[in-house]
Amino acid sequence: MLRGLYTAASGMMTQEQRHNTVTQNIANVNTAGYKATNSVQRSFPEVLVSMIGGNDSSNAGRKLGKFNTGVYAEESISLYTEGALRETGKNTDFALVSSFTVQNPATGQDYPFDASGRYVDENGEVIYRPEGFFTVQDENGDTRYTRNGSFRVSPEGNLLSESGYQVLDNNNRPIILTGSASDFTVNEQGEIMDAAGNGTGIILGVSIVSQPHGLIREGNGVFRMSDPDGEVRFMTPADNGVVRQGFIEGSNVDPTQSMVELTAALRAYETNQKIVQYYDRTLEKAVNEIGRV
């Protein structure tokens, strides 16, 4: 009896985590460059059920089958699909349009990634599509990555992210602009041009992360690599990536799907809650009524 109680309780905790994940997505539906998160659920390991006891000794140890004893929220996975671009007209706003590919060495063809940027081969190996990010440096000098291209220029000419981090060029150096903030443009390859349209030799550091599933959120739309030695390189003109000045990438959260997920999590939570209440009433009868017999 208590096994069912624990199973229902684990279901309630899992749906609570699922609910928290969806509400976080909804709260950031208008956050520039925000990437939605999905909560991955997994059942507890299967256990073998056997018949024990009884008057018939032939039933002892009879195998009844396997079943799971609950579910838990294993992890949260970010979806790196691109959000819709919104034109702002500000020359310090940038959006990254990227569609990077990976070639299958066996066939010479590009992997057909699905909408979430994954491909599972015939051996079950998961291959992820590389993703591009603007490269920034936090106050501790550590490299971070973001899709939020809402930048600003400090009085000293430093190009800063919305969180106040230094925006880096493709040589990992902080970008410092000379002259007025309105006197520069950026071409599609990310090169900063002066007021006369001449190249300055400074290129926005657009990092291509080969294993984006290894990124860890730090808040404010900023990510860091879980493995400091993970494969990251800067975008080159040969890559299929474009920097759009005067645009901002919106959130990739689907509000309609999020509301469906929210309702489903609530209904599942209520179902498990009723099961817990049922077990509570059953235990109450076992203790207070059957115990008096």
Side-chain angles (χ1 to χ4, degrees), residues 133-136 143-146 207 215 221-225 232:
F133 297 86
F134 295 110
T135 313
V136 297
T143 301
R144 297 294 182 260
Y145 308 96
T146 183
S207 293
L215 291 173
V222 176
F223 298 85
R224 64 178 172 87
M225 290 291 294
V232 180

Side-chain angles (χ1 to χ4, degrees), residues 157-175:
N158 295 296
L159 189 62
L160 305 177
S161 71
E162 194 172 57
S163 303
Y165 294 166
Q166 291 269 8
V167 179
L168 303 181
D169 63 13
N170 62 349
N171 290 311
N172 271 324
R173 296 177 300 195
I175 295 177

Side-chain angles (χ1 to χ4, degrees), residues 41-78:
Q41 302 168 24
R42 178 168 294 184
S43 61
F44 289 162
E46 291 183 337
V47 296
L48 179 65
V49 182
S50 303
M51 180 181 293
I52 59 176
N55 296 325
D56 187 355
S57 60
S58 63
N59 285 331
R62 180 182 176 186
K63 303 295 188 296
L64 298 181
K66 297 180 180 180
F67 78 111
N68 300 109
T69 57
V71 65
Y72 65 101
E74 182 181 34
E75 60 179 334
S76 294
I77 296 180
S78 298

Side-chain angles (χ1 to χ4, degrees), residues 207-218:
S207 293
I208 301 178
V209 181
S210 62
Q211 301 291 333
H213 66 285
L215 291 173
I216 298 176
R217 291 176 184 262
E218 286 196 343

Side-chain angles (χ1 to χ4, degrees), residues 33-37 79-83 147 217 223 249 252:
Y34 178 81
K35 298 304 175 187
T37 304
L79 300 179
Y80 294 105
T81 54
E82 292 182 5
R147 292 285 294 202
R217 291 176 184 262
F223 298 85
E249 180 186 358
N252 67 351

